[in-house]
Amino acid sequence: MTTGNTIWWHVYPLGATGAPIRNRVEADADHRLRKLGPWLDYLIELGCNGLLLGPVFESVGHGYDTLDHYAIDARLGTGEDFDWLIQECTARGINVMLDGVFNHVARTHPAVQQGLAGDTDWEGHGELATLHHDEPQVREMVTDIMCHWLRRGIAGWRLDVAYSVPSDFWADVLARVREQFPDAMFLGEVIHGDYAGIATAGTMDSVTQYELWKAIWSSLHDANFFELDHALGRHREIAQRVLPNTFVGNHDVDRIASKIGQDKAIIATALLLTLPGMPSIYYGDEQGFVGLRTEGFEADDAVRPELPPTPEELSALGGWIFAEHQALIGVRRRHPWLTRASVDVVDLSNETISLRCFDDEHELYVDAWLTSPVGVRVHAGGETLYEFSGS
């Protein structure tokens, strides 16, 4: 695995490119994937070196209801558009990870007609059919899909709802894929349970760290750093066993700036970029985008918005937030050892916390406070590496 030190910019392509999620037009030849082209230099300028893409395969609606894992969604373009995007990313040294939905498929997927899926709905969603993971044909199909796109130039796979798939399925399939692509990365989406245990049993390289996400925003929201202290104990143990994918925003949760405000969102980002793990930045968070999930068919629209045609057309109001993200990502890039570091809490109160992040050869400290004005400082050896004070 060579991508552990990647800092990902996480994009939901259907939303970011303005594709219709509902009421889609079948004969759409808009080549929307190419709309991401102007944002690749922006990604580099931000300091990231990875593009984590949400679903890009042919699907019914939101992308997690796959119809064909071998075809690019017509709303996004063609296979040629995808190859172009990979070439543009490769030229800039950007790793690309795809979102693999291998737990379930759309009920109209051919696998259902072939008897390889469909006995049960997934989590009550009648439009989704759970794959029969014990079937050899399903294992062969998923192995072939993964290898197909790895040959096309991607660096790895995000495994959607990995927690719902039997561990022996992942262990079998990933072993087959690694025979051909030993350096591929596999990031499992896990929300509840024994994160490291699930990842280890399934032989995944990384696992989503939802517990840390929850503790970061909640402790900042409630002025209760004891919650973060508790979560960091778990995080330390998880990080000793598997690489956590850390984040403060993604396509399934409320925007961090809407949850806790812009100033505290900077503190959250400072924690994200100094704690052990493999960080991902959800597109727009670096500009202070806001949005809260709702109910019904449009529940996710607010957190999966369309980007303007070019970065230059972004509102100037988010410029200072972008600059703070740049500075913090710069700290992370200059201290790559943080990915595999450990962390201790050295001072704690409801409104203040001080952390020591360290390995055998390095250490740095993070001090955060919620007394007015809120702020955060990152320092090492008496030198301030980063400091922020809110308004």
Side-chain angles (χ1 to χ4, degrees):
M1 182 183 64
T2 60
T3 51
N5 281 329
T6 301
I7 300 174
W8 302 94
W9 195 52
H10 182 188
V11 175
Y12 178 72
L14 290 168
T17 63
I21 305 301
R22 297 165 295 279
N23 304 316
R24 58 177 293 178
V25 177
E26 290 301 328
D28 194 336
D30 203 22
H31 306 288
R32 287 188 177 90
L33 270 184
R34 294 181 184 252
K35 291 186 175 183
L36 296 178
W39 294 90
L40 299 180
D41 289 336
Y42 171 91
L43 180 161
I44 296 294
E45 183 183 359
L46 178 61
C48 296
N49 58 341
L51 179 62
L52 171 54
L53 290 173
V56 297
F57 305 126
E58 190 63 52
S59 66
V60 174
H62 47 63
Y64 292 97
D65 41 7
T66 314
L67 288 169
D68 185 348
H69 289 89
Y70 292 97
I72 296 299
D73 196 301
R75 293 167 292 176
L76 293 173
T78 64
E80 288 74 20
D81 295 321
F82 177 82
D83 291 339
W84 172 86
L85 181 62
I86 291 293
Q87 291 168 8
E88 293 294 309
C89 287
T90 300
R92 293 167 172 80
I94 299 171
N95 294 314
V96 177
M97 182 179 288
L98 292 185
D99 205 339
V101 188
F102 302 124
N103 173 68
H104 52 268
V105 292
R107 189 149 294 279
T108 48
H109 190 285
V112 178
Q113 283 73 50
Q114 296 165 9
L116 301 177
D119 291 344
T120 57
D121 300 338
W122 179 67
E123 294 190 356
H125 297 279
E127 74 280 10
L128 302 176
T130 303
L131 285 166
H132 297 161
H133 295 99
D134 56 343
E135 288 283 350
Q137 286 176 267
V138 172
R139 298 182 178 214
E140 291 167 8
M141 177 184 74
V142 174
T143 300
D144 190 68
I145 292 165
M146 287 187 174
C147 289
H148 174 82
W149 294 102
L150 284 162
R151 291 187 198 101
R152 299 278 283 268
I154 69 170
W157 288 93
R158 174 190 181 271
L159 307 177
D160 186 60
V161 295
Y163 58 88
S164 286
V165 177
S167 295
D168 70 287
F169 176 88
W170 292 129
D172 180 16
V173 168
L174 300 191
R176 300 188 201 189
V177 176
R178 287 187 176 110
E179 288 180 1
Q180 298 183 55
F181 299 95
D183 292 331
M185 166 171 275
F186 300 97
L187 162 62
E189 182 197 20
V190 180
I191 299 176
H192 307 292
D194 179 3
Y195 290 7
I198 293 170
T200 300
T203 70
M204 303 166 206
D205 300 298
S206 183
V207 63
T208 53
Q209 226 303 28
Y210 269 91
E211 287 184 6
L212 183 64
W213 159 78
K214 166 61 168 58
I216 288 176
W217 75 255
S218 183
S219 63
L220 290 166
H221 181 274
D222 296 341
N224 179 19
F225 276 129
F226 285 90
E227 179 180 2
L228 180 58
D229 174 48
H230 176 77
L232 287 174
R234 287 265 295 171
H235 184 65
R236 180 171 53 244
E237 295 174 3
I238 293 167
Q240 289 172 350
R241 299 171 61 191
V242 67
L243 179 64
N245 167 223
T246 54
F247 57 93
V248 295
N250 66 27
H251 61 298
D252 283 330
V253 302
D254 294 334
R255 287 282 182 177
I256 187 70
S258 292
K259 297 289 283 187
I260 58 176
Q262 291 179 339
D263 286 350
K264 289 183 180 179
I266 300 300
I267 301 175
T269 304
L271 292 168
L272 168 68
L273 290 164
T274 51
L275 289 171
M278 180 179 66
S280 56
I281 308 293
Y282 186 53
Y283 81 106
D285 280 355
E286 77 284 350
Q287 294 285 339
F289 279 18
V290 295
L292 297 172
R293 297 182 74 250
T294 57
E295 301 293 333
F297 291 113
E298 300 177 358
D300 298 311
D301 289 3
V303 298
R304 303 177 181 184
E306 183 176 2
L307 288 169
T310 67
E312 290 72 28
E313 295 171 71
L314 288 164
S315 167
L317 295 175
W320 73 272
I321 300 174
F322 182 85
E324 298 296 340
H325 277 72
Q326 277 185 312
L328 284 164
I329 293 173
V331 170
R332 181 60 169 237
R333 295 292 292 271
R334 291 189 295 275
H335 298 82
W337 57 270
L338 284 167
T339 300
R340 303 285 183 175
S342 189
V343 59
D344 284 338
V345 176
V346 295
D347 194 36
L348 179 66
S349 73
N350 283 338
E351 296 185 325
T352 62
I353 192 167
S354 294
L355 311 175
R356 173 180 176 250
C357 303
F358 63 96
D359 65 8
D360 291 340
E361 299 178 359
H362 313 88
E363 69 176 4
L364 62 72
Y365 291 84
V366 183
D367 304 322
W369 57 91
L370 301 180
T371 51
S372 183
V374 302
V376 62
R377 177 174 177 249
V378 182
H379 55 102
E383 176 188 0
T384 296
L385 306 177
Y386 173 83
E387 190 163 14
F388 169 76
S389 180
S391 55

